[in-house]
Amino acid sequence: MSYPIVFIHKGYSSYMEFSLHQATDFNPGREIVLLGDTANNRFSGITHVDIAALSNGAREFAGVYRHHSTNSPDYELFCLQRWFILRDYMRERQVECCFVGDTDVLYYEDFQYVFDAFAAGKFTCGMLIYPERNAASAGVSVWTLASLEAFCEFCFRTYAEPDGLERLLDRRGGDRQAGISDMDLARGFLETLPSGQVLNLADIISGRAIDVNFNIPNGCYIGEYRMDFLKLHKLVKWENNRPRCCNSRLQRWVNFSALHFQGPA
């Protein structure tokens, strides 16, 4: 079965054109879905779904949301609401599983290999996990409807229950200076799951890795990849229009199926 790649984005940003086109070019025959709004309903070859029709769960979550982030309230709220929007889309369209892409990432691979690894390992979900940083990101992720239902329930309970946010802060050692972001919710959710049920997309899977941030040397481990210190990003060489980065831990070049151009990258 061919599962879709889904993007969730409000408004129009010029960089998202490159991300969507790359995903389309490298995944021929796979449905590329954009859960967006009227401002970004402008791309050919993309299935556009207006999030206004998928907002019931997002509005319900907004009713319990308490802002504890260094990001703006609107930004951080939508970072969490997008999972409720995705959940309602998967429910409505009866989507069993999907790969979620972020719009500041460029894609260089057919992601069937991720779905194959996900199915073979009988994983609950897949995320970018950085064990040495005690952090996780769902910006690029794989979900079944059941696992996304559980994540949304975890997010809702964390904000609705009086001590929910305190429990989340306790999980990361009580550090209150950085505030709470969707990455904290992702990590907190993973810690509720039995060991071995999450596919780490930052790890090397079938000879390929997904970049966590092009600006830094980290991968699954801190300092895992060599940097180009003149250009201030990972050292990269190109073969057949695909990037390869040099893994310092393994002492070899690794194929990258996606590069995350966060911030100034």
Side-chain angles (χ1 to χ4, degrees):
M1 179 179 292
S2 179
Y3 296 120
I5 297 175
V6 182
F7 295 85
I8 311 160
H9 195 104
K10 284 202 304 185
Y12 170 75
S13 304
S14 59
Y15 59 81
M16 67 189 300
E17 299 202 26
F18 301 100
S19 182
L20 292 169
H21 288 155
Q22 287 279 117
T24 302
D25 289 347
F26 282 91
N27 290 267
R30 187 180 303 281
E31 185 179 24
I32 310 298
V33 179
L34 173 59
L35 306 183
D37 53 24
T38 54
N40 56 41
N41 186 7
R42 56 192 294 171
F43 305 106
S44 61
I46 304 293
T47 301
H48 186 277
V49 180
D50 198 320
I51 60 176
L54 300 167
S55 296
N56 288 341
R59 282 194 295 269
E60 186 179 6
F61 175 73
V64 300
Y65 177 73
R66 291 172 281 156
H67 190 63
H68 288 275
S69 170
T70 54
N71 296 317
S72 70
D74 287 346
Y75 176 86
E76 193 59 52
L77 175 59
F78 186 71
C79 282
L80 291 164
Q81 283 180 312
R82 59 179 167 166
W83 306 114
F84 293 85
I85 292 168
L86 178 63
R87 180 201 65 187
D88 290 352
Y89 163 77
M90 293 179 72
R91 282 176 174 174
E92 181 181 296
R93 304 297 173 96
Q94 297 182 322
V95 177
E96 296 178 9
C97 182
C98 72
F99 180 98
V100 175
D102 218 345
T103 50
D104 60 353
V105 177
L106 289 181
Y107 304 91
Y108 303 92
E109 192 64 68
D110 184 329
F111 285 100
Q112 186 59 46
Y113 84 93
V114 173
F115 288 117
D116 290 343
F118 188 77
K122 298 181 180 179
F123 294 103
T124 299
C125 61
M127 293 188 197
L128 297 167
I129 309 169
Y130 332 126
E132 295 183 1
R133 295 168 54 200
N134 193 33
S137 170
V140 174
S141 51
V142 182
W143 298 95
T144 62
L145 177 55
S147 63
L148 187 57
E149 295 264 13
F151 179 50
C152 288
E153 176 63 22
F154 174 83
C155 292
F156 193 92
R157 284 191 291 101
T158 297
Y159 281 91
E161 296 174 358
D163 63 343
L165 294 179
E166 287 298 316
R167 291 199 305 269
L168 195 66
L169 288 168
D170 288 343
R171 281 192 178 95
R172 70 177 193 193
D175 176 18
R176 283 155 171 76
Q177 297 301 313
I180 293 174
S181 73
D182 62 319
M183 292 180 68
D184 294 301
L185 272 295
R187 184 68 194 189
F189 173 67
L190 296 189
E191 291 176 357
T192 69
L193 300 176
S195 176
Q197 285 199 2
V198 182
L199 177 63
N200 187 356
L201 300 179
D203 208 346
I204 300 170
I205 303 169
S206 299
R208 312 167 183 90
I210 294 176
D211 183 33
V212 301
N213 187 335
F214 197 48
N215 299 302
I216 59 177
N218 298 351
C220 186
Y221 301 91
I222 292 176
E224 187 172 12
Y225 291 92
R226 292 182 185 173
M227 292 286 286
D228 183 329
F229 291 105
L230 292 178
K231 298 180 179 178
L232 300 180
H233 58 57
K234 283 185 174 74
L235 183 65
V236 60
K237 68 177 181 179
W238 296 86
E239 292 184 4
N240 300 319
N241 294 321
R242 285 173 166 84
R244 307 189 78 200
C245 295
C246 189
N247 189 295
S248 299
R249 184 173 61 89
L250 300 177
Q251 293 295 303
R252 64 180 175 87
W253 291 87
V254 174
N255 296 323
F256 266 57
S257 53
L259 295 177
H260 181 198
F261 294 91
Q262 185 178 42

